[in-house]
Amino acid sequence: MATRLGLSLPQMRQYAIGKDVPDVARAAERIGYDSLWVFERALFPEPATQGLYGVEGLPWPDSYRGVAEPLVTLTLAAAVTERVRLGSSVLVAPLHQPFQLAKSLATLDAASGGRVIAGFGTGWSLDEYAAAGIRPIAERGKVLDEIVEVCRAVWGPDPVRYDGRLTKIESAVVGPKPARPIPILLAASNKKALTRLVDHADGWLPVGMGVEQLAAQWAALQDLAAERGRKEPIQSVLRVNATYSAKRYEGDGRQPFQGDADQIVEDLVAHAAVGLEEIFLDLQGTPQDAQELKDVAAEVYEKARAAGV
């Protein structure tokens, strides 16, 4: 069975969101992609109070200035597509009020005919947490736990009841309900986060940083699931941050998914062999506009399928 392939929607500052998101979404579905994806970057601090990913001295990329809101972006894509699944990798869930996030995702799933994938992470930006004002960043794990619980409650049968730290629902009818149970996938790498995933989520959202590292993480997650007695299979969607070039990358030290379409596909073939269900490509950073993004996406897809991915 071929690996499912997805594509990130254009959210960055070089794109005209209202025009380009529907345009790319329609094109991706026509090309054959199985899913469309968004990420979340709520703001661009200037000057930055911390480095990218919390790494001291690592600058934020200029492309993070003005990233479109993820759920609005998915809604634009849902309105013009019929088949592709609609996922987030990742939505920084603790930046959102739990009840409203659960209701928004349920509404989007109902409207799209059951195509939403709720991909959550905890993020790392002090400035984003301060701006959101939900809870301090130190409490992000507890907030994520509550968000998962609130989502399950709100998406479940009425009357909905929930008594948490942030959310109190005495007894209420909450609709619309999702068209089907929305899968919750989590970004996780450390033991605590992986345990949360095994115990409470439907799947895993890794990032493609190399085949050996990915294979080791996947094996460790499977071992942890067996250790904790999980019976349900773990869904898996690999995010690939690709740096596309029209010309083949010839330098030393090439990073995974860096280069022309053939080089990106070579890495796709290698990563697909690990056995994850789905891989999606974030190609939006390099193209100058939506037409170039569509052209690159089509070339990579055709070559990937020809290579057996």
Side-chain angles (χ1 to χ4, degrees):
M1 180 178 177
T3 304
R4 291 197 298 264
L5 291 177
L7 181 71
S8 274
L9 289 165
Q11 294 174 264
M12 295 179 178
R13 63 189 305 213
Q14 70 265 44
Y15 301 103
I17 301 303
K19 177 175 68 71
D20 291 345
V21 170
D23 185 26
V24 171
R26 281 189 293 258
E29 187 168 69
R30 184 171 60 251
I31 290 165
Y33 281 98
D34 299 290
S35 55
L36 296 169
W37 294 83
V38 292
F39 75 107
E40 183 158 35
R41 192 81 285 131
L43 48 71
F44 187 99
E46 196 170 43
T49 55
Q50 66 180 146
L52 185 68
Y53 311 128
V55 178
E56 185 176 356
L58 187 62
W60 290 50
D62 196 59
S63 58
Y64 281 179
R65 296 176 182 269
V67 174
E69 202 282 330
L71 294 185
V72 172
T73 305
L74 282 182
T75 301
L76 289 169
V80 298
T81 56
E82 298 179 354
R83 174 186 56 80
V84 287
R85 298 191 302 161
L86 307 162
S88 57
S89 179
V90 294
L91 196 73
V92 185
L95 302 182
H96 299 261
Q97 198 276 339
F99 176 80
Q100 191 57 54
L101 178 59
K103 187 171 174 66
S104 294
L105 288 166
T107 302
L108 180 59
D109 193 73
S112 66
R115 294 189 279 145
V116 171
I117 306 162
F120 295 157
T122 54
W124 47 267
S125 171
L126 298 171
D127 295 279
E128 290 183 337
Y129 271 82
I134 304 297
R135 294 300 300 166
I137 195 170
E139 299 179 23
R140 61 192 182 276
K142 293 180 180 179
V143 176
L144 178 58
D145 288 337
E146 180 159 326
I147 286 171
V148 172
E149 291 174 357
V150 170
C151 284
R152 303 287 195 205
V154 167
W155 300 341
D158 294 321
V160 175
R161 297 182 177 88
Y162 186 82
D163 184 11
R165 296 170 67 244
L166 298 173
T167 310
K168 308 287 184 181
I169 309 172
E170 294 295 337
S171 179
V173 174
V174 184
K177 298 296 184 185
R180 92 299 190 216
I182 299 174
I184 295 177
L185 279 61
L186 300 180
S189 56
N190 62 49
K191 181 66 177 291
K192 186 173 183 178
L194 291 170
T195 300
R196 176 187 292 115
L197 187 161
V198 167
D199 292 348
H200 302 296
D202 298 295
W204 182 43
L205 292 170
V207 177
M209 301 295 288
V211 175
E212 292 184 3
Q213 181 180 358
L214 177 66
Q217 289 179 329
W218 182 232
L221 180 56
Q222 297 288 343
D223 290 344
L224 180 62
E227 176 187 316
R228 298 187 68 82
R230 179 176 173 130
K231 303 301 183 185
E232 302 84 2
I234 296 174
Q235 299 177 35
S236 54
V237 181
L238 175 68
R239 177 189 184 92
V240 168
N241 298 315
T243 304
Y244 172 81
S245 171
K247 297 181 179 180
R248 187 171 183 84
Y249 186 91
E250 301 292 353
D252 295 330
R254 185 180 76 89
Q255 298 300 308
F257 302 102
Q258 179 183 26
D260 64 10
D262 290 321
Q263 289 174 303
I264 290 172
V265 169
E266 287 171 11
D267 291 328
L268 275 174
V269 170
H271 283 73
V274 173
L276 303 187
E277 295 174 286
E278 186 163 356
I279 301 173
F280 81 90
L281 293 150
D282 190 336
L283 294 162
Q284 67 180 302
T286 309
Q288 295 182 353
D289 55 31
Q291 185 59 55
E292 186 179 353
L293 174 58
K294 291 186 295 180
D295 292 343
V296 173
E299 182 183 10
V300 171
Y301 182 87
E302 291 166 4
K303 291 186 174 183
R305 289 312 191 202
V309 178

